[in-house]
Each structure stands twice: as C-alpha cells, then as structure tokens.
Amino acid sequence: MPGLTYHLKPRGLYRGAALTLVFASVLATAAATGSLPREDGESTEIKTRAVSSTVGSVDREEIADAVADAEADGKSGTDAAEEVVSRSGDRWGAVYDEREYEEFEQALDGSYTGVGIAARRAAHGQVTVTGVKAGGPADRAGVREGDLLRTVDGRTVAKRPVAEVVALLRGDRVKASEGSTVVLGLSRGGHSWTTTLHRARLSTDPVSVRRLGRDPSSAVLIKVAAFTKGAGTAVRDAVDGAPGDAGILLDLRANSGGLVSEAVTASSAFLDGGLVATYDVHGEQRALYAEPGGDTERPVVVLVDGGTMSAAELLTGALQDRGRAVTVGSRTFGKGSVQLPSKLPGGSVAELTVGHYRTPAGRSVEGSGITPDVGAGPEAQERGETVLSGLGGGS
C-alpha cells in the first residue's frame, strides 16, 4: 500500500532496510522486561517511543552541532546530519526527515494515511494498480486491480518512478493528513475517468491465512508480510485455530522485518518458552525469550528468501536452531543489527547501529544471513509443501 512505500535516497537499499529495525533494541528489551531502557537508566511504559542521547559511535551532540552549523549557513540540516552519519562507516546508519519518520512510526503501528491502492510499473511503462484495500477510499470509488493510473492531481505518472507516484498519492506534509483530497486519473479498457478521493487512516494486513487443501488435515499457510503491531498475535491465533494436527507453512519470504517484539510473540506460537535470541546494546548482553504454552507438536516449515530480513531472520533462526521447523528456500538477507534512534534539531532523526543479535545457537546473522535446510528457488512453496507432507503435516 502507498503508505508503506518510502521514497528512498541514494543509500536506498540499506536505508530502507534500516527502517525495519529502528526500534529494535528498544522494543526487544521491552519484550523481555516490559519496560523501555533509556540512556539515563530510567524506564518508560512500553507504549512510549524512546530515543537515545547517543547513536552508535557518533554522539548526538556532534550530529546536532553539524545540523546547527549547516542551518546557520542556510544549508540543509538533514544533509549535514547524513554526512556525519555516513562518515561513521555504519552500513545501516541513516537520517530521516520528520515526515519519513512519522510515516515509519505509523507503519510499525500497523496503519497509514492514504487512499488504499498498491501500484507497480508494468512492462509497457504504465503504472498499474496491483491491489486495492477493501473498504478504503479507492475501493469505495470503484478503483479495481488492473486499472491504469494515468495522473495524480493532474500530474502525469507515466515516466515517474513508482516511489514518486507513491509520494504524489500521499501528498506533501500539509496534504497528507486524514481527510485531504487527491484527484486520480485512471483508465480501464477504453474508458478513462477522474475521481476525487479523500485520504483516510487505513490499517495494514500483515498476516494472511489460508488452507492448502479441502481435506480436514490440509496444511495451513500463514503469510507474514511484515512484523508490524499485532502481527505476532495474529500468527499465534492462526496456529491456535489450525485444525487437528495440520502442519503449518510459515511464509516469511520478502518479509523485511519490523518490530522485534512481534517476532518474539510469533515465536511463542511454536515454542514452549525458552531462548529466542541474544543481543547486545553498547556491549551489554541481553536475551529474548518466548512465552510458554506454544504448540510444539505441529509440523512446521518456514519459507525464506533473500528478502527475509531482520526480525524475520530472528524468528527463522530461533525455529531452526531449536529444531522446531525445517527451513526451505534461499539464503536470507543478513540484517542482524540493532539500531537506536536519536531526535535531532528540526525534527529529523538519526540512527546508528549499537549492537547485533545472535540466534539461540550463537550464530550471527549480520552479513551472512541464514542458510535454509532445504534449498529452493521459485518453487519454494511447492517444495515446502512436500517437506511438510513428509513430516506428517498434511498436504
């Protein structure tokens, strides 16, 4: 959906990936202790977003001074902050402007402000609607999957990158509020029309569940697109609601991560307590544990690929190391670092790596990823179903 797509700057791949674990160390600790650590040693309720006074090896004051100097010279404070963070040598270090960070916080909370359509650039160069959020503004206006998006507020989108199209759909900081309007030009077949939509606060659907057959013993496919707020509980509910001894095919392909606390909750669906991961923050060692009472009997196969990142890798590593699941697919991305955010003058936010996490067996994920038990490419789901059937999990 548009609200979950970011207009990335030159360091786009790493920067976008870093977004997935901005609150990793904060929320990971919260999952284990029920409170959030702060640099002054105090604690805050879990619903509060904490920020640190230092990020990685760069002191907040160093970045703030660079911002102040740049703004005094009439230059961009955000650009100055990015330069300082870039010099740190941290591959995941990044700076976000105020709006980008607000969008990210909304995304982690499982909501965004938009019109409820997903789009991609088709082979012929036109922008095609690939999904419509049920009940959203676009759905109510009659927009359908397969429609061609021609203009946004009178601006043609034919030659624009999809990221820019998404930015137009969301509007600038003033226009992006709930209830603001956007005019779309669309076409379907030989018919073209324009429609005015009112942006709304929409919820994401990070977890989908479906049976893989009609037989009562058929396996259940649980697809987790991201670990946003509520995703862990949704996974646990899906496992609890699966019939009999039906196996679970947990699809984490293209899952770029999210909230570590949600991944830990998801692990509790398959584990009866015990270690999920260890991690460090500024050298201090900490651990994450699953809650007791999970289903430890049901066969489980986890599907992964090169787009499986961060919190999704944490879950995969825990289930693999503890012998709870067979993993199928290709090597995961290799994002096992922990970041802390630091608010800067003017509202932008900088973040640098402050630690790394390890699987229960002590494996580091950073840079190496997780190698699945059974290799597979595009046919991963089919092979996963075969493996699950061999484990007695239905077909």
Side-chain angles (χ1 to χ4, degrees), residues 177-267:
S177 60
E178 186 174 0
S180 61
T181 61
V182 57
V183 180
L184 306 186
L186 301 130
S187 64
R188 182 187 305 156
H191 174 58
S192 296
W193 77 101
T194 60
T195 182
T196 300
L197 306 181
H198 292 267
R199 297 182 179 92
R201 179 61 60 86
L202 303 171
S203 62
T204 59
D205 299 312
V207 179
S208 60
V209 183
R210 68 179 177 90
R211 297 283 295 277
L212 293 174
R214 297 181 179 180
D215 189 275
S217 63
S218 296
V220 174
L221 173 66
I222 303 175
K223 169 67 177 176
V224 187
F227 284 105
T228 54
K229 186 176 180 180
T233 298
V235 171
R236 194 166 55 191
D237 290 346
V239 173
D240 290 343
D245 297 325
I248 300 294
L249 195 62
L250 182 63
D251 191 351
L252 300 181
R253 291 174 297 177
N255 183 320
S256 59
L259 299 175
V260 168
S261 57
E262 295 296 335
V264 173
T265 298
S267 75

Side-chain angles (χ1 to χ4, degrees), residues 356-377:
H356 297 83
Y357 69 77
R358 293 179 178 272
T359 69
R363 293 183 294 161
S364 174
V365 175
E366 180 68 20
S368 58
I370 294 174
T371 301
D373 302 307
V374 179

Side-chain angles (χ1 to χ4, degrees), residues 133-361:
K133 172 73 174 177
D139 182 36
R140 293 195 301 270
V143 180
R144 297 292 177 260
E145 183 176 342
D147 289 347
L148 296 180
L149 181 62
R150 299 180 298 105
T151 61
V152 177
D153 283 335
R155 302 179 184 180
T156 182
V157 301
K159 295 183 180 180
R160 296 178 185 269
V162 172
E164 288 188 17
V165 177
V166 169
L168 290 174
L169 287 168
R170 284 194 52 80
D172 58 28
R173 189 171 300 175
V174 175
K175 293 182 178 179
S177 60
E178 186 174 0
S180 61
T181 61
V182 57
V183 180
L184 306 186
L186 301 130
S187 64
R188 182 187 305 156
H191 174 58
S192 296
W193 77 101
T194 60
T195 182
T196 300
L197 306 181
H198 292 267
R199 297 182 179 92
R201 179 61 60 86
L202 303 171
S203 62
T204 59
D205 299 312
V207 179
S208 60
V209 183
R210 68 179 177 90
R211 297 283 295 277
L212 293 174
R214 297 181 179 180
D215 189 275
S217 63
S218 296
V220 174
L221 173 66
I222 303 175
K223 169 67 177 176
V224 187
F227 284 105
T228 54
K229 186 176 180 180
T233 298
V235 171
R236 194 166 55 191
D237 290 346
V239 173
D240 290 343
D245 297 325
I248 300 294
L249 195 62
L250 182 63
D251 191 351
L252 300 181
R253 291 174 297 177
N255 183 320
S256 59
L259 299 175
V260 168
S261 57
E262 295 296 335
V264 173
T265 298
S267 75
S268 299
F270 307 101
L271 301 171
D272 186 14
L275 186 65
V276 174
T278 59
Y279 67 104
D280 61 280
V281 174
H282 297 307
E284 180 182 347
Q285 299 299 311
R286 304 174 188 181
L288 298 167
Y289 297 94
E291 295 180 4
D295 188 329
T296 60
E297 302 296 327
R298 215 183 276 275
V300 180
V301 168
V302 180
L303 302 180
V304 297
D305 64 7
T308 304
M309 300 172 59
S310 56
E313 290 177 288
L314 181 148
L315 174 58
T316 301
L319 298 182
Q320 186 184 55
D321 278 7
R322 296 188 57 184
R324 186 61 191 90
V326 176
T327 53
V328 176
S330 53
R331 185 187 297 270
T332 62
F333 185 85
K335 170 81 168 63
S337 58
V338 176
Q339 282 79 40
L340 277 177
S342 179
K343 189 167 290 186
L344 303 174
S348 59
V349 174
E351 62 163 19
L352 283 184
T353 299
V354 296
H356 297 83
Y357 69 77
R358 293 179 178 272
T359 69

